[in-house]
Amino acid sequence: MVLEGIAKRKFLVVGRVGIDLCPTPAGTATEDATDMVVGMGGSSANIAAGLSKFGCETALVTCVSDDAVGWYCLNQLDHYKIDKQYVRKIKGEERTSLAVYESRVENHQSVIYRNNAADFQMSIEDVEAVDYSQYGALITAGTVFAAEPSRSATFRAFELARAAGLPIIFDVDYRPYSWPSAEVASDVLTRAGEMSNVIIGNDEEFGFMAGDISKGLDKARELAQTSASIIVYKMGPEGAVTFANGEEYRTGIYPVDALKPTGAGDSFMAGFLASLSEGRPMKEAVLRGSANASITVSRVGCAAAMAYPNELDDFLATHPGPTSA
């Protein structure tokens, strides 16, 4: 069911879209900035944009504030050919998320404004308005569960997706600043993981779900044996361990001169899923996701920095990697 759904190349993506500001030129600290570039942000929107660049169809389910920032995000969804029919504009005190991040690795600063975030206002009614039969798979990232009513709405979307036969693809994406407590986050993210068919996370995130960072790999292996069909356990510069079809695949990374540490996770997800949707073998899909992440961290921006298919192919043809796992 999982690979068949992904092969349809039509993804329903649940979660936020936001606006990113980045000091320019690359290497400039925020406190020294005189100019900034603007781009679309938000994990879910970035994943959708990456998939769109690879020719997949995507639709986003979220809320944005009915103001200039929200309108900018809607225009960006159009730019990346992301279906916005399930994006609701809201009036009130809630605002679309803003991130200010630097294109530098040393002393990197990312400042994210998520107080009264508009996307947390996504409701059960919003997800019940979706025609799930039109899609092959549902994707979301963990931040969508950090507050109500978005949390309940997303769990309802999981139920509706499962009823329609869609596999659920979950990026753990644990960000402590979004959650009321670590205990709540652990309980909710574990529940989401147990409902998911594909889980992507790093060693710290799986360790968090297990209650001990040293037990992260065991937690990933346990989920692969009990509920999930595919799990990718990411270990930063050490590569990744993928659990699928009763096998474990260890893969390395593609080293680059990184401009920034941000955007890698969203790019990996897009490259990985797009490659699976093309029928590529699991290990190759993981490596292509890793290469897409490397390309993104070497460029300014996130969605704008993600590769198109020809760029990814050129990178793979000329890069000496990957590193051995």
Side-chain angles (χ1 to χ4, degrees):
M1 179 189 82
V2 175
L3 292 178
E4 289 86 347
I6 292 172
K8 293 180 180 179
R9 296 174 62 81
K10 296 188 68 173
F11 296 94
L12 182 71
V13 188
V14 178
R16 74 187 187 279
V17 60
I19 188 170
D20 286 349
L21 298 174
C22 180
T24 187
T28 303
T30 300
E31 63 263 33
D32 299 325
T34 57
D35 292 288
M36 292 194 175
V37 293
V38 63
M40 185 183 77
S43 294
S44 293
N46 287 334
I47 292 168
L51 286 165
S52 292
K53 283 187 167 185
F54 281 96
C56 299
E57 295 181 46
T58 59
L60 189 69
V61 187
T62 193
C63 293
V64 297
S65 49
D66 192 7
D67 56 25
V69 175
W71 305 335
Y72 170 84
C73 291
L74 293 173
N75 286 342
Q76 286 290 293
L77 295 179
D78 288 339
H79 172 75
Y80 289 107
K81 298 180 173 59
I82 301 167
D83 186 346
K84 64 185 183 186
Q85 66 173 306
Y86 301 121
V87 179
R88 178 166 60 94
K89 293 184 289 186
I90 61 173
K91 295 183 181 293
E93 295 302 314
E94 296 84 11
R95 293 289 180 266
T96 299
S97 294
L98 163 68
V100 181
Y101 68 90
E102 298 168 347
S103 293
R104 60 176 184 164
V105 175
E106 187 176 357
N107 299 318
H108 174 85
Q109 288 288 304
S110 292
V111 183
I112 302 177
Y113 295 88
R114 296 277 294 149
N115 297 331
N116 286 330
D119 54 279
F120 282 146
Q121 295 305 306
M122 182 181 65
S123 67
I124 289 176
E125 290 76 16
D126 290 324
V127 301
E128 288 183 341
V130 175
D131 181 359
Y132 292 84
S133 69
Q134 298 303 303
Y135 303 96
L138 181 149
I139 305 169
T140 197
T143 305
V144 77
F145 292 105
E148 294 288 6
S150 177
R151 181 186 304 160
S152 294
T154 306
F155 277 123
R156 178 61 176 152
F158 275 25
E159 293 172 354
L160 294 168
R162 289 169 62 139
L166 274 63
I168 295 169
I169 301 164
F170 175 48
D171 184 347
V172 181
D173 194 32
Y174 174 54
R175 306 189 184 206
Y177 59 79
S178 291
W179 290 84
S181 72
E183 291 75 19
V184 171
S186 180
D187 289 345
V188 172
L189 294 176
T190 298
R191 178 185 168 195
E194 290 171 348
M195 295 178 68
S196 301
N197 304 99
V198 180
I199 308 173
I200 314 290
N202 62 34
D203 43 7
E204 292 183 357
E205 289 165 340
F206 279 106
F208 176 75
M209 293 170 69
D212 185 334
I213 184 128
S214 67
K215 299 178 180 177
L217 187 59
D218 289 338
K219 181 65 175 181
R221 188 175 285 113
E222 174 197 327
L223 287 167
Q225 293 171 348
T226 58
S227 58
S229 298
I230 301 169
I231 288 183
V232 182
Y233 178 87
K234 298 185 294 184
M235 303 178 293
E238 303 303 315
V241 181
T242 302
F243 302 89
N245 305 316
E247 297 183 64
E248 294 186 20
Y249 307 85
R250 289 187 175 263
T251 50
I253 65 165
Y254 293 86
V256 292
D257 292 327
L259 278 181
K260 62 187 191 306
T262 55
D266 301 337
S267 304
F268 174 87
M269 177 75 90
F272 173 62
L273 292 178
S275 298
L276 286 181
S277 77
E278 296 167 353
R280 297 179 186 271
M282 186 66 61
K283 188 172 183 178
E284 181 183 353
V286 173
L287 287 171
R288 287 175 68 85
S290 297
N292 199 36
S294 294
I295 291 170
T296 297
V297 299
S298 69
R299 297 172 171 178
V300 174
C302 190
M306 293 180 184
Y308 284 96
N310 63 310
E311 294 175 315
L312 180 57
D313 290 339
D314 289 345
F315 177 89
L316 290 167
T318 58
H319 196 285
T323 59
S324 58

